Coordinates of all heavy atoms in Angstrom, one line a residue:
M753 N 0.8 -1.2 0.0 CA 0.0 0.0 0.0 C 0.9 1.3 0.0 O 1.8 1.4 0.8 CB -0.9 0.0 1.2 CG -1.8 -1.1 1.3 SD -3.1 -1.1 0.0 CE -4.3 0.1 0.8
A754 N 0.6 2.1 -0.9 CA 1.4 3.3 -1.0 C 0.9 4.3 0.1 O -0.3 4.4 0.3 CB 1.3 4.0 -2.4
S755 N 1.9 5.0 0.6 CA 1.5 6.1 1.6 C 1.6 7.4 0.8 O 2.5 7.7 0.2 CB 2.5 6.1 2.8 OG 2.2 7.2 3.6
D756 N 0.5 8.2 1.0 CA 0.4 9.5 0.3 C 0.7 10.6 1.2 O 0.1 11.6 1.2 CB -0.9 9.6 -0.5 CG -2.0 9.6 0.5 OD1 -1.8 9.3 1.7 OD2 -3.2 9.7 0.0
G757 N 1.6 10.4 2.1 CA 2.0 11.4 3.1 C 1.4 11.3 4.4 O 1.7 12.0 5.4
T758 N 0.5 10.3 4.6 CA -0.1 10.1 5.9 C 1.0 9.4 6.8 O 1.5 8.4 6.4 CB -1.3 9.2 5.8 OG1 -2.3 9.8 5.0 CG2 -1.9 9.0 7.2
R759 N 1.3 10.1 7.9 CA 2.3 9.5 8.7 C 1.7 8.9 10.0 O 0.6 9.3 10.4 CB 3.3 10.6 9.1 CG 4.0 11.2 7.9 CD 5.2 12.0 8.3 NE 4.8 13.2 9.0 CZ 5.6 14.1 9.6 NH1 6.9 13.9 9.5 NH2 5.1 15.2 10.2
S760 N 2.4 8.0 10.5 CA 1.9 7.4 11.7 C 2.0 8.4 12.9 O 2.7 9.3 12.9 CB 2.8 6.1 12.1 OG 4.0 6.6 12.6
P761 N 1.1 8.1 13.9 CA 1.2 8.9 15.1 C 2.5 9.0 15.7 O 2.9 10.1 16.2 CB 0.2 8.2 16.0 CG -0.8 7.5 15.1 CD 0.1 7.1 14.0
L762 N 3.3 8.0 15.7 CA 4.6 8.0 16.3 C 5.5 8.9 15.5 O 6.3 9.7 16.1 CB 5.2 6.6 16.4 CG 4.6 5.7 17.5 CD1 5.3 4.3 17.4 CD2 5.0 6.3 18.8
E763 N 5.4 8.9 14.2 CA 6.3 9.7 13.4 C 5.9 11.2 13.6 O 6.7 12.1 13.6 CB 6.1 9.4 11.9 CG 6.8 8.0 11.6 CD 6.6 7.6 10.2 OE1 5.4 7.8 9.7 OE2 7.5 7.1 9.5
R764 N 4.6 11.4 13.7 CA 4.1 12.8 14.0 C 4.6 13.3 15.3 O 5.0 14.4 15.5 CB 2.6 12.9 13.9 CG 2.2 12.6 12.5 CD 0.6 12.7 12.3 NE 0.1 14.0 12.7 CZ -1.1 14.4 12.6 NH1 -2.0 13.5 12.2 NH2 -1.5 15.6 12.8
L765 N 4.6 12.4 16.3 CA 5.0 12.8 17.6 C 6.5 13.0 17.6 O 7.0 14.0 18.2 CB 4.7 11.6 18.6 CG 4.7 12.0 20.1 CD1 3.7 13.1 20.3 CD2 4.1 10.7 20.8
R766 N 7.3 12.2 16.9 CA 8.7 12.4 16.8 C 9.0 13.8 16.1 O 9.8 14.5 16.6 CB 9.3 11.3 15.9 CG 10.8 11.5 15.5 CD 11.7 10.9 16.6 NE 13.1 11.2 16.3 CZ 13.9 10.5 15.6 NH1 13.4 9.4 15.0 NH2 15.1 10.8 15.4
A767 N 8.2 14.1 15.1 CA 8.4 15.4 14.5 C 8.1 16.5 15.4 O 8.7 17.6 15.4 CB 7.5 15.5 13.2
Y768 N 7.1 16.3 16.2 CA 6.7 17.3 17.2 C 7.9 17.6 18.2 O 8.2 18.7 18.4 CB 5.5 16.9 18.0 CG 5.2 17.7 19.2 CD1 4.6 19.0 19.1 CD2 5.5 17.3 20.5 CE1 4.4 19.8 20.2 CE2 5.3 18.1 21.6 CZ 4.7 19.4 21.4 OH 4.5 20.1 22.5
Y769 N 8.4 16.5 18.7 CA 9.5 16.7 19.6 C 10.7 17.3 18.9 O 11.4 18.2 19.5 CB 9.9 15.4 20.2 CG 9.0 14.8 21.3 CD1 8.6 13.5 21.3 CD2 8.5 15.7 22.3 CE1 7.7 13.1 22.2 CE2 7.6 15.3 23.2 CZ 7.2 14.0 23.2 OH 6.3 13.5 24.1
D770 N 11.0 16.9 17.7 CA 12.1 17.4 17.0 C 12.0 18.9 16.8 O 13.0 19.7 16.9 CB 12.3 16.8 15.6 CG 13.0 15.4 15.7 OD1 13.6 15.2 16.8 OD2 13.0 14.7 14.8
H771 N 10.8 19.4 16.6 CA 10.6 20.8 16.2 C 10.2 21.7 17.4 O 10.5 22.9 17.4 CB 9.6 20.9 15.1 CG 10.0 20.3 13.8 ND1 11.1 20.8 13.1 CD2 9.6 19.2 13.1 CE1 11.3 20.1 12.0 NE2 10.4 19.1 12.0
E772 N 9.5 21.1 18.3 CA 9.0 21.9 19.4 C 9.6 21.8 20.7 O 9.5 22.7 21.6 CB 7.5 21.5 19.6 CG 6.6 21.7 18.3 CD 6.5 23.1 17.8 OE1 6.7 24.0 18.6 OE2 6.4 23.3 16.6
E773 N 10.4 20.8 21.0 CA 10.9 20.6 22.3 C 12.4 20.5 22.3 O 13.0 19.9 23.1 CB 10.3 19.3 22.9 CG 8.9 19.6 23.3 CD 8.5 18.7 24.5 OE1 9.3 18.3 25.3 OE2 7.3 18.3 24.5
L774 N 13.1 21.2 21.4 CA 14.5 21.2 21.4 C 15.0 22.5 22.1 O 16.2 22.7 22.2 CB 15.1 21.2 20.0 CG 14.9 19.8 19.4 CD1 15.4 19.8 17.9 CD2 15.8 18.7 20.1
T775 N 14.1 23.2 22.7 CA 14.5 24.4 23.5 C 14.5 23.9 24.9 O 13.5 23.5 25.5 CB 13.5 25.5 23.3 OG1 13.5 26.0 22.0 CG2 13.9 26.7 24.2
C776 N 15.7 24.0 25.5 CA 15.9 23.5 26.9 C 15.1 24.4 27.9 O 15.2 25.6 27.9 CB 17.4 23.6 27.3 SG 17.7 23.1 28.9
P777 N 14.2 23.7 28.7 CA 13.4 24.5 29.7 C 14.3 25.0 30.8 O 13.8 25.9 31.6 CB 12.4 23.5 30.1 CG 13.0 22.1 29.9 CD 13.9 22.3 28.7
A778 N 15.4 24.4 31.0 CA 16.3 24.7 32.1 C 17.1 26.0 31.9 O 17.2 26.8 32.7 CB 17.2 23.6 32.5
C779 N 17.6 26.1 30.6 CA 18.5 27.2 30.4 C 18.1 28.0 29.1 O 18.6 29.1 28.8 CB 19.9 26.7 30.2 SG 20.2 25.9 28.6
G780 N 17.1 27.5 28.4 CA 16.6 28.2 27.3 C 17.4 28.0 26.0 O 17.1 28.7 25.0
Y781 N 18.4 27.2 26.0 CA 19.2 26.9 24.8 C 18.4 26.2 23.7 O 17.7 25.2 24.0 CB 20.4 26.1 25.2 CG 21.3 25.7 24.0 CD1 22.3 26.7 23.6 CD2 21.2 24.5 23.4 CE1 23.1 26.4 22.5 CE2 22.1 24.2 22.3 CZ 23.0 25.2 21.9 OH 23.8 24.9 20.8
E782 N 18.5 26.7 22.5 CA 17.8 26.1 21.4 C 18.7 25.2 20.7 O 19.7 25.7 20.0 CB 17.2 27.2 20.5 CG 16.2 28.0 21.1 CD 15.5 29.0 20.1 OE1 15.5 28.6 18.9 OE2 15.1 30.0 20.6
D783 N 18.5 23.9 20.8 CA 19.4 22.9 20.2 C 18.9 22.6 18.8 O 18.4 21.6 18.5 CB 19.4 21.7 21.0 CG 20.5 20.6 20.6 OD1 21.3 21.0 19.7 OD2 20.5 19.5 21.1
D784 N 19.1 23.6 17.9 CA 18.6 23.5 16.6 C 19.2 22.3 15.8 O 18.6 21.8 14.9 CB 18.9 24.8 15.8 CG 17.9 25.9 16.3 OD1 16.9 25.6 16.8 OD2 18.3 27.1 16.1
D785 N 20.5 22.0 16.1 CA 21.1 20.9 15.4 C 20.9 19.6 16.1 O 21.3 18.5 15.6 CB 22.6 21.2 15.3 CG 22.9 22.4 14.5 OD1 22.1 22.7 13.5 OD2 23.9 23.1 14.7
G786 N 20.2 19.6 17.2 CA 20.0 18.4 17.9 C 18.8 17.6 17.5 O 18.0 18.1 16.7
S787 N 18.6 16.5 18.1 CA 17.4 15.7 17.9 C 17.1 14.8 19.0 O 18.0 14.5 19.8 CB 17.5 14.9 16.6 OG 18.5 14.0 16.6
W788 N 15.9 14.4 19.1 CA 15.6 13.4 20.2 C 16.1 12.0 19.7 O 15.9 11.6 18.6 CB 14.1 13.3 20.4 CG 13.6 14.5 21.1 CD1 13.3 15.7 20.5 CD2 13.3 14.7 22.5 NE1 12.8 16.6 21.5 CE2 12.9 16.0 22.7 CE3 13.4 13.8 23.6 CZ2 12.5 16.4 24.0 CZ3 13.1 14.2 24.8 CH2 12.6 15.6 25.0
E789 N 16.8 11.4 20.6 CA 17.2 10.0 20.4 C 15.9 9.1 20.7 O 15.2 9.5 21.7 CB 18.3 9.5 21.3 CG 19.6 10.3 21.1 CD 20.2 10.0 19.8 OE1 20.0 8.9 19.2 OE2 20.8 10.9 19.2
S790 N 15.6 8.2 19.9 CA 14.5 7.4 20.2 C 14.8 5.9 20.1 O 15.6 5.5 19.2 CB 13.3 7.7 19.3 OG 13.6 7.4 18.0
E791 N 14.2 5.1 20.9 CA 14.4 3.7 20.8 C 13.1 3.0 21.3 O 12.3 3.6 22.1 CB 15.6 3.2 21.7 CG 15.5 3.5 23.1 CD 16.7 3.1 23.9 OE1 17.8 3.1 23.3 OE2 16.6 2.9 25.1
T792 N 12.8 1.8 20.8 CA 11.6 1.2 21.2 C 11.9 -0.3 21.5 O 12.8 -0.9 20.9 CB 10.6 1.3 20.0 OG1 9.4 0.6 20.5 CG2 11.1 0.7 18.7
N793 N 11.1 -0.8 22.4 CA 11.2 -2.2 22.7 C 10.0 -2.9 22.1 O 9.7 -4.1 22.5 CB 11.4 -2.4 24.2 CG 10.2 -1.9 25.0 OD1 9.2 -1.6 24.4 ND2 10.4 -1.9 26.3
G794 N 9.2 -2.2 21.3 CA 8.0 -2.9 20.8 C 6.8 -2.5 21.5 O 5.7 -2.6 21.0
R795 N 6.9 -2.2 22.8 CA 5.7 -1.8 23.6 C 5.7 -0.3 23.9 O 4.7 0.2 24.2 CB 5.7 -2.6 24.9 CG 5.5 -4.1 24.6 CD 5.2 -4.8 25.9 NE 4.8 -6.2 25.8 CZ 4.3 -7.0 26.8 NH1 4.3 -6.5 28.0 NH2 4.0 -8.2 26.5
E796 N 6.9 0.3 24.0 CA 7.0 1.7 24.3 C 8.1 2.3 23.5 O 9.1 1.6 23.2 CB 7.0 1.9 25.8 CG 8.2 1.2 26.5 CD 8.1 1.3 28.0 OE1 7.0 1.5 28.5 OE2 9.1 1.2 28.6
V797 N 8.0 3.6 23.4 CA 9.1 4.4 22.7 C 9.7 5.3 23.8 O 9.0 6.0 24.5 CB 8.6 5.1 21.6 CG1 9.7 5.9 20.9 CG2 7.9 4.2 20.5
H798 N 11.0 5.3 23.8 CA 11.7 6.1 24.8 C 12.5 7.2 24.0 O 13.3 6.9 23.2 CB 12.7 5.2 25.6 CG 13.5 5.9 26.6 ND1 14.8 5.9 26.8 CD2 13.0 6.8 27.6 CE1 15.2 6.6 27.8 NE2 14.1 7.2 28.3
Y799 N 12.1 8.4 24.3 CA 12.8 9.6 23.7 C 13.7 10.2 24.8 O 13.4 10.3 26.0 CB 11.8 10.6 23.3 CG 10.9 10.2 22.1 CD1 9.7 9.5 22.3 CD2 11.3 10.4 20.8 CE1 8.9 9.2 21.3 CE2 10.6 10.0 19.8 CZ 9.3 9.4 20.0 OH 8.6 9.0 18.9
Y800 N 14.8 10.7 24.3 CA 15.9 11.1 25.2 C 16.6 12.3 24.6 O 17.0 12.3 23.4 CB 16.9 10.0 25.5 CG 18.1 10.4 26.3 CD1 18.1 10.2 27.6 CD2 19.2 10.9 25.6 CE1 19.2 10.5 28.4 CE2 20.3 11.2 26.4 CZ 20.3 11.0 27.8 OH 21.4 11.3 28.5
H801 N 16.7 13.4 25.3 CA 17.5 14.5 24.8 C 18.2 15.1 25.9 O 17.7 15.5 26.9 CB 16.5 15.6 24.2 CG 17.2 16.8 23.6 ND1 17.4 17.9 24.3 CD2 17.9 17.0 22.5 CE1 18.1 18.8 23.7 NE2 18.4 18.3 22.5
E802 N 19.5 15.4 25.6 CA 20.4 16.0 26.6 C 20.8 17.4 26.1 O 21.3 17.5 25.0 CB 21.6 15.2 26.9 CG 22.6 15.8 27.9 CD 23.7 14.9 28.2 OE1 23.7 13.7 28.0 OE2 24.7 15.5 28.8
C803 N 20.6 18.4 26.8 CA 21.0 19.8 26.5 C 22.5 19.9 26.3 O 23.2 19.6 27.3 CB 20.4 20.8 27.4 SG 20.9 22.5 27.0
P804 N 23.0 20.3 25.2 CA 24.5 20.4 25.1 C 25.1 21.6 25.8 O 26.2 21.7 26.0 CB 24.7 20.6 23.6 CG 23.4 21.2 23.1 CD 22.3 20.6 24.0
C805 N 24.1 22.5 26.3 CA 24.6 23.7 26.9 C 24.7 23.4 28.5 O 25.7 23.7 29.0 CB 23.6 24.8 26.7 SG 24.0 26.4 27.4
C806 N 23.7 22.9 29.1 CA 23.7 22.8 30.5 C 23.6 21.3 31.0 O 23.7 21.0 32.1 CB 22.5 23.6 31.2 SG 20.9 22.8 30.9
G807 N 23.4 20.4 30.0 CA 23.4 19.0 30.4 C 22.1 18.5 30.9 O 22.0 17.3 31.3
S808 N 21.1 19.3 30.9 CA 19.7 18.9 31.4 C 19.2 17.8 30.5 O 19.2 18.0 29.3 CB 18.8 20.1 31.4 OG 17.5 19.7 31.8
V809 N 18.7 16.8 31.1 CA 18.2 15.7 30.3 C 16.7 15.6 30.4 O 16.1 15.8 31.5 CB 18.7 14.3 30.9 CG1 18.0 13.1 30.2 CG2 20.2 14.2 30.6
R810 N 16.1 15.5 29.3 CA 14.6 15.3 29.2 C 14.3 14.0 28.6 O 15.0 13.5 27.6 CB 14.0 16.4 28.4 CG 13.9 17.7 29.2 CD 13.4 18.8 28.4 NE 14.4 19.1 27.3 CZ 14.1 19.7 26.1 NH1 12.9 19.9 25.8 NH2 15.0 19.9 25.3
E811 N 13.3 13.3 29.1 CA 13.0 12.0 28.6 C 11.5 11.9 28.5 O 10.7 12.5 29.3 CB 13.4 10.9 29.6 CG 14.9 10.9 29.7 CD 15.3 9.8 30.8 OE1 15.3 10.1 31.9 OE2 15.7 8.7 30.4
H812 N 11.0 11.2 27.5 CA 9.6 10.9 27.4 C 9.5 9.4 27.1 O 10.3 8.8 26.3 CB 9.0 11.6 26.2 CG 8.9 13.1 26.4 ND1 7.9 13.7 27.2 CD2 9.6 14.1 25.9 CE1 8.1 15.0 27.1 NE2 9.1 15.2 26.4
T813 N 8.6 8.7 27.8 CA 8.3 7.3 27.4 C 6.9 7.2 27.0 O 6.0 7.7 27.8 CB 8.6 6.4 28.6 OG1 10.0 6.5 29.0 CG2 8.3 5.0 28.3
L814 N 6.7 6.7 25.8 CA 5.3 6.7 25.3 C 4.9 5.3 25.0 O 5.7 4.5 24.4 CB 5.3 7.5 24.0 CG 5.8 9.0 24.2 CD1 6.1 9.6 22.8 CD2 4.7 9.8 24.8
D815 N 3.7 5.0 25.3 CA 3.2 3.6 24.9 C 3.0 3.6 23.4 O 2.6 4.5 22.8 CB 1.9 3.4 25.6 CG 2.1 3.2 27.1 OD1 3.1 2.8 27.6 OD2 1.1 3.5 27.9
V816 N 3.4 2.5 22.9 CA 3.0 2.3 21.5 C 1.6 1.8 21.4 O 1.3 0.7 21.9 CB 4.0 1.2 20.9 CG1 3.6 0.9 19.4 CG2 5.4 1.7 20.9
L817 N 0.8 2.6 20.7 CA -0.6 2.2 20.6 C -0.8 1.4 19.3 O -0.6 2.0 18.2 CB -1.4 3.4 20.6 CG -1.3 4.3 21.9 CD1 -2.2 5.5 21.8 CD2 -1.7 3.4 23.2
T818 N -1.3 0.3 19.4 CA -1.6 -0.5 18.2 C -3.1 -0.6 18.0 O -3.8 -0.8 19.0 CB -1.0 -1.9 18.3 OG1 -1.5 -2.5 19.5 CG2 0.5 -1.9 18.3
E819 N -3.5 -0.4 16.8 CA -4.9 -0.4 16.6 C -5.4 -1.7 15.9 O -4.6 -2.3 15.2 CB -5.3 0.8 15.7 CG -5.0 2.1 16.4 CD -5.3 3.3 15.5 OE1 -6.0 3.1 14.4 OE2 -4.9 4.4 15.8
Ligands
ZN1232 ZN1 20.0 23.6 28.9

């Protein structure tokens, strides 16, 4: 099945984090060149980002929702 641009919720969420949450809430540094690391064990996705300026770590763990 061809995809005509419809992305999965996880991909959209990843894009959200990449674009909206790269500004460190601790020091305000905008990590424009950074990205969230993500890994999954099949049941949940773990996102991780460390601020290169102050070292503040943010993490999100999200359940993988299967329909
Ligand atoms: Zn920071």
Side-chain angles (χ1 to χ4, degrees):
M753 298 291 279
S755 172
D756 59 357
T758 302
R759 296 192 295 177
S760 76
L762 284 176
E763 288 175 322
R764 294 180 62 175
L765 201 53
R766 173 87 185 271
Y768 168 77
Y769 285 134
D770 277 349
H771 293 297
E772 302 296 334
E773 287 205 32
L774 287 173
T775 300
C776 178
C779 72
Y781 179 81
E782 293 186 28
D783 189 11
D784 288 335
D785 294 327
S787 65
W788 287 83
E789 300 293 330
S790 65
E791 56 186 28
T792 180
N793 61 12
R795 289 190 174 188
E796 56 189 23
V797 181
H798 183 227
Y799 291 92
Y800 174 96
H801 178 261
E802 179 175 346
C803 176
C805 182
C806 73
S808 176
V809 171
R810 283 173 293 154
E811 297 176 278
H812 292 283
T813 300
L814 302 161
D815 292 332
V816 175
L817 300 179
T818 56
E819 297 180 9

